[in-house]
């Protein structure tokens, strides 16, 4: 935690800051090989294009879509990383033409391995509707390449390289791990040396951490230094990483006792409930997922403010205390009634006190309302043409109510439930196709009719 503490630690282990003698205790060399990455699905292509060119997911989708419409790439909206033998066959047949698009095609040819469809890439059992994104048989000419937008060119190049890598040899390297002793301190150093580049020839320069030749018993000069670094803010959560964070929630708690308890119960929630907790937060509009990055909505911020006004509500320590109390109940050190009674007291206290404590500025409130209106909107209002028709619970109504538009549509009409799809058709086209399920009030008979909306008047049409 401090330089002084570090120096003390080193001293106790027979070392110190600065230069001293070290000895190589162990050297391990291992030859490793790495196959080329899997073929692109849309999301992995978006990830890669974002990493290399900082293109947004929707920009990449648009680029792939254009390349698909111009018949250079296969269908873009796929989550599959595999192709079938059919695609493999035509790719293999056209290899020379694809390779011709690369500046270093001669070197690439040297790395080719014998043709064989490998399960890592070619598996018809794993291809459902669409296969991975690959080149079509149509190889773009220089002129056609010139007509592509910058991003389209980059995306085509990414797909071209990734697909061709499947035909190249593995990347082979030697991994060396050395243990070096200084006093009773052991340091580990590792480095890779490329043996054969293989598919990496299509990925740009390989940056290996090199190690000098080392032998066991060899004496080295070790220089120990302290280094102060600053932490970086963590990356935004994806749904995957949030689940992991919930699972390991105890690790970031300050209170050591609370930390221990959460470690025992494995964080927040269980394997069975974590995903649905995230789903509920999204469904209720507190959180949204964009390009797989989770963020808090304005409503979520308001919820957080409520929680902030009453820190107990979100305190993991609170959870930890409850877990502790539950354990006591389990061990008969506390009665069930005592625990439930405390929870009841806690909840009624929250319900009375918290709403009065929340301070939400108007900007945030408006943001939340706009967002809600947008997500709930079924379509523009056909009457005032300014508001949006939204589901108001017991009926559908115009969001421009305060502006004077009182247009509503019922949830049930002539005995038939009016779903969102019917309302959407009505407000956009004024008339539906023939629908079943109307019920006569008098006879209870079911019948079919069309629904018609003229101005704000809804009626049945029989024709
Ligand atoms: Zn309206």
């Amino acid at each position: 935690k401090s330089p002084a503490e570090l120096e003390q630690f080193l001293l106790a282990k027979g070392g110190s800051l600065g230069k001293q003698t070290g000895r190589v205790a162990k050297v391990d060399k291992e030859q490793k090989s790495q196959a080329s990455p899997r073929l692109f699905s849309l999301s992995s292509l978006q990830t890669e294009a974002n990493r290399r060119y900082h293109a947004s997911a929707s920009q990449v989708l648009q680029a792939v879509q254009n390349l698909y419409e111009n018949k250079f790439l296969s269908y873009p909206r796929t989550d599959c990383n595999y192709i079938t033998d059919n695609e493999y066959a035509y790719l293999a047949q056209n290899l020379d033409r694809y390779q011709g698009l690369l500046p270093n095609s001669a070197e690439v040819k040297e790395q080719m391995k014998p043709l064989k469809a490998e399960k890592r890439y070619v598996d018809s059992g794993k291809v459902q509707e669409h296969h991975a994104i690959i080149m079509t048989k149509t190889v773009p000419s220089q002129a056609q390449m010139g007509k592509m937008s910058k991003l389209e060119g980059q995306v085509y190049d990414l797909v071209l390289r990734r697909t061709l890598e499947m035909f190249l040899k593995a990347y082979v390297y030697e991994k060396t791990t050395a243990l070096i002793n200084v006093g009773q301190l052991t340091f580990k150093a590792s480095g890779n040396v490329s043996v054969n580049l293989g598919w990496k020839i299509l990925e740009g320069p390989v940056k290996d951490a090199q190690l000098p030749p080392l032998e066991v018993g060899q004496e080295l000069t070790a220089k120990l230094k302290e280094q102060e670094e600053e932490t970086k803010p963590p990356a935004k959560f994806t749904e995957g990483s949030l689940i992991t964070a919930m699972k390991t929630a105890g690790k970031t708690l300050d209170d050591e006792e609370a930390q221990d308890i959460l470690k025992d119960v494995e964080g927040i929630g269980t394997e069975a409930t974590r995903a649905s907790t995230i789903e509920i937060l999204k469904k209720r509009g507190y959180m949204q997922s964009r390009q797989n990055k989770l963020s808090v909505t304005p409503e979520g911020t308001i919820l957080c403010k409520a929680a902030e006004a009453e820190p107990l509500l979100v305190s993991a320590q609170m959870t930890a205390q409850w877990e502790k109390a539950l354990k006591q109940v389990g061990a008969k050190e506390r009665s069930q009634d005592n625990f439930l009674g405390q929870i009841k007291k806690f909840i009624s206290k929250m319900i009375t006190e918290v709403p009065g404590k929340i301070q939400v500025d108007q900007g945030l409130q408006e943001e939340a309302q706009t967002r809600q209106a947008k997500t709930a909107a079924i379509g523009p209002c056909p009457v005032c043409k300014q508001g949006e028709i939204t589901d108001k619970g017991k009926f559908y109504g115009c969001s421009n109510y305060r502006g004077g538009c009182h247009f509503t549509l019922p949830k049930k009409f002539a005995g038939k439930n009016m779903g969102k799809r019917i309302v959407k058709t009505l407000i956009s086209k004024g008339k539906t196709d023939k629908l079943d399920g109307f019920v006569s009030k008098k006879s209870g008979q079911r019948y079919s009719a069309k629904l018609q909306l003229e101005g704000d008047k809804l009626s049945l049409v029989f024709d």
Side-chain angles (χ1 to χ4, degrees), residues 380-389 397-401 404-408:
C381 173
V383 176
C384 70
K385 318 246 191 275
Q386 281 171 13
E388 298 277 347
I389 302 302
C398 177
S399 63
N400 190 26
Y401 183 81
C405 178
H406 297 170
F407 175 60
T408 62

Coordinates of all heavy atoms in Angstrom, one line a residue, residues 380-389 397-401 404-408, ligand 1:
P380 N -47.9 7.8 -35.1 CA -48.4 9.2 -34.9 C -49.9 9.3 -34.9 O -50.6 8.4 -35.4 CB -47.8 9.9 -36.2 CG -47.5 8.8 -37.2 CD -47.2 7.6 -36.4
C381 N -50.3 10.3 -34.2 CA -51.8 10.5 -34.0 C -52.4 10.9 -35.3 O -52.0 11.9 -35.9 CB -52.0 11.5 -32.9 SG -53.7 12.0 -32.7
P382 N -53.5 10.2 -35.8 CA -54.1 10.5 -37.1 C -55.0 11.8 -37.0 O -55.4 12.4 -38.0 CB -54.9 9.3 -37.4 CG -55.2 8.7 -36.1 CD -54.1 9.0 -35.2
V383 N -55.3 12.2 -35.7 CA -56.2 13.3 -35.6 C -55.4 14.7 -35.5 O -55.6 15.5 -36.3 CB -57.1 13.1 -34.3 CG1 -58.0 14.3 -34.1 CG2 -57.9 11.9 -34.5
C384 N -54.5 14.8 -34.5 CA -53.8 16.1 -34.4 C -52.5 16.1 -35.2 O -52.0 17.1 -35.5 CB -53.6 16.4 -32.9 SG -52.3 15.3 -32.2
K385 N -52.1 14.9 -35.6 CA -50.8 14.7 -36.3 C -49.6 15.3 -35.6 O -48.5 15.5 -36.2 CB -50.9 15.4 -37.7 CG -52.2 15.2 -38.4 CD -52.0 14.4 -39.7 CE -53.3 14.4 -40.6 NZ -54.3 13.4 -40.2
Q386 N -49.7 15.5 -34.3 CA -48.6 16.0 -33.6 C -48.1 15.0 -32.5 O -46.9 14.8 -32.3 CB -48.9 17.3 -32.9 CG -48.9 18.5 -33.9 CD -49.4 19.8 -33.3 OE1 -49.6 19.9 -32.1 NE2 -49.6 20.7 -34.2
G387 N -49.1 14.4 -31.8 CA -48.8 13.5 -30.7 C -48.5 12.1 -31.3 O -48.5 11.9 -32.5
E388 N -48.2 11.2 -30.3 CA -48.0 9.8 -30.6 C -49.1 9.0 -29.9 O -49.4 9.3 -28.7 CB -46.6 9.3 -30.1 CG -45.4 10.0 -30.7 CD -45.0 9.4 -32.1 OE1 -45.6 8.3 -32.4 OE2 -44.3 10.0 -32.8
I389 N -49.5 8.0 -30.5 CA -50.5 7.1 -29.9 C -49.7 6.1 -29.0 O -48.8 5.5 -29.5 CB -51.4 6.4 -30.9 CG1 -52.1 7.3 -31.8 CG2 -52.4 5.5 -30.2 CD1 -53.0 8.3 -31.1
G397 N -54.2 6.3 -26.2 CA -54.5 7.7 -26.3 C -53.3 8.5 -26.9 O -52.2 8.0 -27.1
C398 N -53.6 9.8 -27.2 CA -52.7 10.6 -27.9 C -51.8 11.3 -26.8 O -52.3 11.7 -25.8 CB -53.4 11.7 -28.7 SG -52.3 12.9 -29.5
S399 N -50.5 11.3 -27.1 CA -49.5 12.0 -26.1 C -49.7 13.5 -26.1 O -49.2 14.2 -25.2 CB -48.1 11.6 -26.5 OG -47.8 12.2 -27.7
N400 N -50.5 14.0 -27.0 CA -50.7 15.5 -27.1 C -51.9 15.9 -26.4 O -52.6 16.9 -26.7 CB -50.8 15.9 -28.6 CG -50.7 17.4 -28.8 OD1 -50.2 18.1 -28.0 ND2 -51.3 17.8 -29.9
Y401 N -52.3 15.2 -25.3 CA -53.5 15.5 -24.5 C -53.5 16.9 -24.0 O -54.4 17.6 -24.1 CB -53.6 14.5 -23.4 CG -54.9 14.6 -22.6 CD1 -56.1 14.1 -23.0 CD2 -54.8 15.3 -21.4 CE1 -57.2 14.2 -22.3 CE2 -56.0 15.5 -20.6 CZ -57.2 14.9 -21.1 OH -58.4 15.1 -20.4
G404 N -54.3 19.6 -26.3 CA -55.7 19.7 -26.7 C -56.3 18.5 -27.5 O -57.4 18.5 -27.9
C405 N -55.5 17.5 -27.8 CA -56.0 16.4 -28.5 C -56.5 15.3 -27.6 O -55.8 14.8 -26.8 CB -54.9 15.8 -29.4 SG -55.5 14.4 -30.4
H406 N -57.8 15.0 -27.7 CA -58.4 14.0 -26.8 C -58.7 12.7 -27.4 O -59.5 12.0 -27.0 CB -59.6 14.6 -26.1 CG -59.3 15.8 -25.3 ND1 -60.3 16.6 -24.7 CD2 -58.2 16.3 -24.9 CE1 -59.7 17.6 -24.0 NE2 -58.4 17.4 -24.1
F407 N -58.0 12.4 -28.6 CA -58.3 11.2 -29.3 C -57.9 10.0 -28.5 O -56.8 9.9 -28.0 CB -57.5 11.2 -30.6 CG -57.6 10.0 -31.4 CD1 -58.9 9.5 -31.8 CD2 -56.5 9.2 -31.8 CE1 -59.0 8.3 -32.5 CE2 -56.6 8.0 -32.5 CZ -57.9 7.6 -32.9
T408 N -58.8 9.0 -28.4 CA -58.5 7.8 -27.7 C -59.0 6.6 -28.6 O -59.9 6.8 -29.4 CB -59.1 7.7 -26.3 OG1 -60.5 7.7 -26.5 CG2 -58.6 8.8 -25.4
Ligands
LIG1 ZN1 -53.5 13.6 -31.2

